[in-house]
Amino acid sequence: QVQLVESGGGLVQAGGSLRLVCVASGLPFSSYAMGWFRQAPGKEREFVAAISWNGGATYYADFVKGRFTISRDNAKNTVYLQMNSLKPEDTAVYSCKARVVGRANNVYIYWGQGTQVTVSS
């Protein structure tokens, strides 16, 4: 059974930092690209950051460039999101996503339950 479990969210003042952690189990983690998404109340889920299977490539939404850093440790089946200079508009539920294209181009996608991040002004 595949599980993605996020942690590290919480309440922080504007300008502060948090590090989100997503631990995966039940899948060959090092084969999967990983990403972070967020959903604020009343809004659609949006892409935040992603990292390739070996960490060699990273991608960020424009609104987090220079503030957030995604990384992974394949030995620990873990992906991180370091969030600095947080703003009230970063308030959302943050979820991690695992994605891989397997044989016959079958796409496998898994989501975690999410962790709440609240940034006070």
Side-chain angles (χ1 to χ4, degrees):
Q1 180 181 357
V2 175
Q3 280 192 313
L4 301 177
V5 180
E6 302 96 334
S7 63
L11 174 63
V12 64
Q13 288 189 331
S17 298
L18 285 173
R19 188 178 77 154
L20 304 185
V21 179
C22 173
V23 180
S25 60
L27 76 169
F29 181 77
S30 60
S31 298
Y32 279 71
M34 298 297 296
W36 287 95
F37 289 72
R38 71 186 188 186
Q39 187 168 21
K43 295 186 177 182
E44 293 191 353
R45 184 165 56 194
E46 60 182 356
F47 168 78
V48 175
I51 188 166
S52 61
W53 64 276
N54 63 353
T58 57
Y59 310 89
Y60 297 95
D62 286 345
F63 54 78
V64 303
K65 283 182 180 178
R67 299 190 299 126
F68 292 8
T69 302
I70 188 170
S71 61
R72 66 189 296 161
D73 184 339
N74 284 349
K76 296 182 178 179
N77 285 8
T78 300
V79 62
Y80 306 94
L81 184 68
Q82 178 67 44
M83 305 187 296
N84 299 328
S85 303
L86 282 161
K87 305 175 182 180
E89 52 264 43
D90 292 320
T91 295
V93 174
Y94 285 71
S95 301
C96 67
K97 172 187 176 183
R99 180 183 185 277
V100 71
V101 179
R103 295 180 179 180
N105 288 330
N106 291 323
V107 179
Y108 299 89
I109 295 174
Y110 302 98
W111 290 93
Q113 290 297 312
T115 185
Q116 176 70 47
V117 171
T118 303
V119 185
S120 63
S121 57

